[in-house]
Amino acid sequence: MRSKLLWLLIIMLMVGCASQSSIDPTSAPTIGSATDTPIPIPTPSPQPEVCVETTGWYEFFEVESTLMNYPMEGRIYLPPCYGFEADREYPVLYFLHGQSFTDDQWDRLGVDEAMDAIANSKEQESYIIVMPKETNYMNNQWESKFGPSLAEELVPWVDAHHQTIPDRTGRAIGGLSRGAAWAMRTGMIYWETFASIGCHSFAPFRGDFNEAPFWFKEIPEEDLPRIYIDMGFLDVNLDAANVFETRLMKYRIPHEWHIFPGTHNENYWSTHVGDYLEWYAEGWE
């Protein structure tokens, strides 16, 4: 009896092994096989690049001049995120220093910090500021070629090398003291180049009072520039500036005339530098 049971067990084991060997292992589904349906992985949407710069910077320039026997030198303030948008064009302010100073004067007065604040506020247009150096500041306005070189040589160079609005509507010229005299003279003579003129602690050149009517007559009424003049009430040049301002009134040249507390010094200019830059920005809104 036991022998029969043993043989029956052996036969059952042999039948089971034969059944397993007849199964095709390739027909069994496996995890991750090529026959599985792939699960799509979502592609994240590209995030737009955002400029996070909050401060501008200076570049220095040296432009060869055929009008002067030395190059035009100076510095350029470029606002935060300049160059981030390749097709963006910026307005330009040409900002002139006072007599016996150099192109670092406006930097010392805080023009870059004030311009950074305007750019970060997003309330007004940010812009480029060019600060050329007048090397021979003892020359009179007729002998000096500083103004003509600025308008005829420096402006085209800046337009060619920077992202500027290459038109008078995108340009202003301003300055303090002797720089204000150059701003008035150059801005009026080259009215097709500049749309705004700022004269801070205006110290007009001798003789420009008599030349001014000829400048005014050359400018079409619709192209008269915006003009801003400010003085400290203790400024030694207040009388001279007041005489020039009567010229503007006589010939009905629109302008702003401001008298503030203060005198002819850097404390006065640093106090008002933010107001100056906001006024130029308003012309480009």
Side-chain angles (χ1 to χ4, degrees):
M1 184 66 178
R2 289 182 181 178
S3 300
K4 291 181 179 181
L5 290 174
L6 180 61
W7 279 107
L8 181 61
L9 180 60
I10 292 171
I11 292 169
M12 291 177 64
L13 289 173
M14 292 178 64
V15 171
C17 291
S19 299
Q20 288 183 4
S21 63
S22 65
I23 298 174
D24 184 0
T26 61
S27 64
T30 58
I31 297 175
S33 68
T35 59
D36 289 346
T37 302
I39 300 175
I41 300 175
T43 303
S45 301
Q47 296 296 319
E49 294 186 17
V50 177
C51 177
V52 295
E53 293 177 356
T54 58
T55 59
W57 66 94
Y58 285 112
E59 289 183 355
F60 296 86
F61 65 84
E62 182 175 296
V63 179
E64 292 300 321
S65 172
T66 59
L67 295 174
M68 303 186 296
N69 58 3
Y70 50 87
M72 176 75 79
E73 299 177 315
R75 66 186 62 200
I76 299 178
Y77 166 86
L78 300 172
C81 298
Y82 173 83
F84 187 75
E85 300 174 76
D87 58 348
R88 179 174 177 179
E89 295 180 336
Y90 290 80
V92 184
L93 166 63
Y94 292 81
F95 224 14
L96 313 181
H97 61 80
Q99 183 167 314
S100 77
F101 293 100
T102 68
D103 58 296
D104 71 343
Q105 186 173 32
W106 282 115
D107 181 15
R108 189 169 60 254
L109 295 173
V111 71
D112 51 337
E113 290 87 356
M115 192 67 246
D116 288 346
I118 288 177
N120 292 323
S121 72
K122 310 297 184 183
E123 296 178 359
Q124 291 178 306
E125 180 76 20
S126 58
Y127 50 92
I128 297 169
I129 304 178
V130 180
M131 290 160 272
K133 174 184 176 182
E134 184 187 12
T135 301
N136 293 332
Y137 53 77
M138 294 303 293
N139 289 350
N140 63 47
Q141 71 270 34
W142 299 291
E143 294 174 346
S144 175
K145 298 298 181 184
F146 177 70
S149 178
L150 188 159
E152 298 177 25
E153 298 177 321
L154 180 58
V155 168
W157 183 88
V158 171
D159 285 343
H161 291 82
H162 294 82
Q163 295 176 217
T164 67
I165 298 173
D167 183 82
R168 76 182 295 265
T169 59
R171 295 195 203 99
I173 186 169
L176 64 84
S177 192
R178 177 180 170 91
W182 272 123
M184 179 64 77
R185 181 178 180 85
T186 307
M188 284 291 181
I189 293 175
Y190 293 92
W191 61 268
E192 293 178 290
T193 302
F194 304 100
S196 296
I197 301 172
C199 300
H200 315 300
S201 295
F202 186 30
F205 289 126
R206 291 182 180 180
D208 281 5
F209 177 83
N210 296 322
E211 284 191 48
F214 298 98
W215 305 339
F216 303 156
K217 292 177 182 178
E218 292 294 322
I219 307 175
E221 185 175 356
E222 64 273 15
D223 291 323
L224 285 170
R226 299 167 65 241
I227 299 175
Y228 179 105
I229 303 173
D230 72 279
M231 305 289 295
F233 68 78
L234 295 177
D235 196 308
V236 295
N237 298 295
L238 180 57
D239 289 343
N242 189 49
V243 170
F244 194 96
E245 199 255 344
T246 62
R247 263 299 197 241
L248 295 172
M249 291 191 295
K250 179 179 179 179
Y251 286 88
R252 297 183 174 85
I253 305 300
H255 63 282
E256 296 183 33
W257 171 257
H258 302 276
I259 304 295
F260 298 117
T263 186
H264 198 89
N265 60 23
E266 292 199 342
N267 182 60
Y268 172 84
W269 301 317
S270 63
T271 299
H272 293 280
V273 67
D275 300 330
Y276 301 158
L277 296 182
E278 289 182 5
W279 181 82
Y280 292 111
E282 289 170 1
W284 293 312
E285 290 182 349

